[in-house]
Amino acid sequence: MSVTSEISSSIAEPIGRAHSRMPAAITVAKICALALLIGLAISTPGFLSRPSLIALANAISLVGCVALGMTLITLGGNIMSFSIGATASVTGIVFMATLGHGLMPAALAAILAGAAITALQGWIIGALRANPIIVSLATYALLIGMAQIVVGPKVDAPNLDYQFLKGRLGGVPVSFLLFGALTILCQLILTFTRFGHELLLVGSNGRAAEAAGIHVTRVTVVAYALAGALAGIGGIVIASRFGVADMQTARGFEYTAIAAVLIGGTSIGGGRGSITQTFLGMGVIAIINALALLQGMSMEFQRLAIGLAVLAVIILQGLGRRN
């Protein structure tokens, strides 16, 4: 062996060991952070009380469906959608406005409206290669403006058929059970269907997926349509919770959904992550907010804590990509 080879080997060996240790260190850091959060929750007086846990489940279910849709979009490599919260608000308006025709027709109308709104975005992004952030921001502005012109400030329900969504089954909120069922369904789709596998491939490398014969535009449109349908279900749950629908009911939900996706560990670049991770991320956010409320902390502190958590996850993802 030459002197140069020996020097190269002596340098590469410790670097290789350092690189192999980095993912393990990141995993340990995540576990420690989660253990600390759980420890704080258990030690906080009142956290494990029945009212607190019910409030926690309600908080998770309100934003949860929107977060599931955001996960599908992100896994497909399209970063985020800043219009999905507005889409949930619009679908809530559609639901309340059509309740006079019955609960099921109103729910179907809301879900189809959400799917149509986001499927169109998916087609623009997939077929025209448009920037997903710009498209979502433009859609957000369009939805806000059109809703104000067409339906006005708010829509009240013509009947109370939606009341069961505010109830409980076996002591568990119905909305949380619905969110849990959707989480399982979406994870099954992601794991066991051709679409799920193609979505992850497209998110990992769109050009390579296209070269392999995958119809990238179709996958993108389907992912956005499913995200819109989930936002539609979220809009129904949110409108049912408040008994009224307007463009403010889901305001800011897109940011909480983005935080849940990232805190759960889904890669911001797409291709890596899962629905169940978002479920856990949503739980972490709800626990942080609950702890802040029980400790008498302000809303600003809650936002600060969630922002720091998202920033920490992004840094850890960056370190993982480098290694």
Side-chain angles (χ1 to χ4, degrees), residues 38-322:
I38 293 174
L40 286 173
I42 294 175
S43 62
T44 300
F47 180 83
L48 295 178
S49 65
R50 183 181 177 85
S52 177
L53 293 177
I54 290 175
L56 187 69
N58 282 326
I60 291 173
S61 59
L62 282 181
V63 194
C65 295
V66 178
L68 296 182
M70 190 74 79
T71 307
L72 295 176
I73 291 173
T74 306
L75 287 173
N78 291 302
I79 311 177
M80 303 292 174
S81 172
F82 292 100
S83 64
I84 199 165
T87 301
S89 294
V90 167
T91 57
I93 291 172
V94 171
F95 175 69
M96 285 295 183
T98 56
L99 260 178
H101 301 287
L103 179 64
M104 292 308 296
L108 183 61
I111 294 170
L112 289 176
I117 291 170
T118 52
L120 178 59
Q121 296 176 63
W123 180 82
I124 295 172
I125 293 165
L128 305 181
R129 299 295 191 268
N131 185 295
I133 295 179
I134 301 301
V135 172
S136 68
L137 289 174
T139 304
Y140 174 82
L142 286 171
L143 291 175
I144 294 292
M146 290 179 64
Q148 294 294 332
I149 293 171
V150 175
V151 301
K154 67 178 182 178
V155 176
D156 295 313
N159 58 55
L160 301 178
D161 290 347
Y162 62 85
Q163 288 282 30
F164 82 96
L165 288 171
K166 299 170 65 174
R168 300 173 194 169
L169 186 62
V172 181
V174 172
S175 57
F176 181 76
L177 293 174
L178 176 62
F179 171 51
L182 288 172
T183 299
I184 295 171
L185 177 62
C186 290
Q187 186 58 55
L188 290 175
I189 291 173
L190 196 63
T191 305
F192 296 108
T193 67
R194 177 177 177 179
F195 162 74
H197 297 155
E198 290 181 345
L199 181 67
L200 293 176
L201 290 173
V202 170
S204 297
N205 192 323
R207 291 185 178 180
E210 195 167 27
I214 295 175
H215 199 302
V216 174
T217 299
R218 185 193 66 218
V219 172
T220 303
V221 170
V222 172
Y224 270 82
L226 288 175
L230 289 165
I233 297 173
I236 293 170
V237 172
I238 296 164
S240 300
R241 173 64 53 186
F242 296 113
V244 66
D246 57 38
M247 291 306 294
Q248 302 298 316
T249 50
R251 182 180 180 183
F253 277 28
E254 59 271 12
Y255 299 107
T256 305
I258 290 170
V261 172
L262 294 178
I263 290 174
T266 293
S267 173
I268 194 171
R272 286 180 294 138
S274 69
I275 297 294
T276 52
Q277 287 177 233
T278 297
F279 182 90
L280 295 175
M282 196 66 246
V284 168
I285 291 176
I287 290 173
I288 291 174
N289 289 336
L291 289 176
L293 286 173
L294 290 172
Q295 296 290 345
M297 297 175 181
S298 64
M299 182 68 69
E300 288 73 17
F301 179 85
Q302 297 177 39
R303 292 172 179 168
L304 173 64
I306 293 172
L308 289 173
V310 171
L311 183 60
V313 169
I314 291 175
I315 292 172
L316 290 174
Q317 286 188 3
L319 291 172
R321 284 194 298 268
R322 286 182 61 187

